[in-house]
Amino acid sequence: VMGDRTPGELTGAHVRQFRDALGERRGLNWGRPEMARKGLMVLSHMFSWAAEWGIVETNPCRGVSRPPMARRDRCPTDSEFAAVRARCAPLVQVAMELALLTGLRREDILSIDRDSETPDGLLVRTGKTQKALLFAWTEPLLDALRRDKPQVGAIAAYTRLEPQLGAD
């Protein structure tokens, strides 16, 4: 599709041809949509670097639509959840329990700290909608938070500490 063109000669039309060829697109049907999505992701990342370095003026991948993602048709069973949970570190086990009990997004789980605990329940301000949600205390929720009390405070700090692990 790209032939012997230089990066600056490539246009959105070339990127669409690349996407369709990689994804084996025939009309509205995709043979390999995941391959097309991954190919576009890598190509777009490369062009972002090229634009940053002054090799191209703009990223020709901008505006090129991604193939649709297949919807999940099932949820993990309780036994699958338990099998994965059993192999995780205690910190991740607490986060998994909180996600299961509250239905919160990953980022919201990571924001839970000891200040989130109120007399009425667990108070969490969601990152996406900025709405405050209060989860009333239940035995399973209390068990998840109290099982490994030092771990819960570490959930919020985990992502902030991670880049510093090799600093010392």
Side-chain angles (χ1 to χ4, degrees), residues 17-90:
Q17 289 173 354
F18 169 74
R19 173 204 62 194
D20 293 349
L22 198 58
E24 296 178 356
R25 183 176 184 182
R26 305 286 181 263
L28 296 177
N29 299 321
W30 291 89
R32 302 185 322 175
E34 185 64 27
M35 182 68 81
R37 270 193 302 281
K38 288 180 180 180
L40 279 176
M41 179 184 65
V42 170
L43 190 64
S44 180
H45 201 63
M46 289 171 33
F47 271 109
S48 292
W49 282 344
E52 183 178 331
W53 296 335
I55 297 169
V56 295
E57 292 293 319
T58 60
N59 183 344
C61 298
R62 289 191 188 268
V64 176
S65 63
R66 306 307 191 246
M69 291 183 67
R71 293 203 174 262
R72 293 182 187 196
D73 58 354
R74 73 173 200 82
C75 289
T77 64
D78 290 343
S79 61
E80 290 171 331
F81 181 87
V84 170
R85 186 184 172 284
R87 290 171 174 81
C88 292

Side-chain angles (χ1 to χ4, degrees), residues 137-150:
W137 293 122
T138 62
E139 283 304 315
L141 184 57
L142 285 169
D143 288 345
L145 289 171
R146 302 291 182 251
R147 182 180 327 106
D148 204 352
K149 192 167 179 108

Side-chain angles (χ1 to χ4, degrees), residues 6 66 97 104:
T6 64
R66 306 307 191 246
E97 289 290 324
L104 290 170

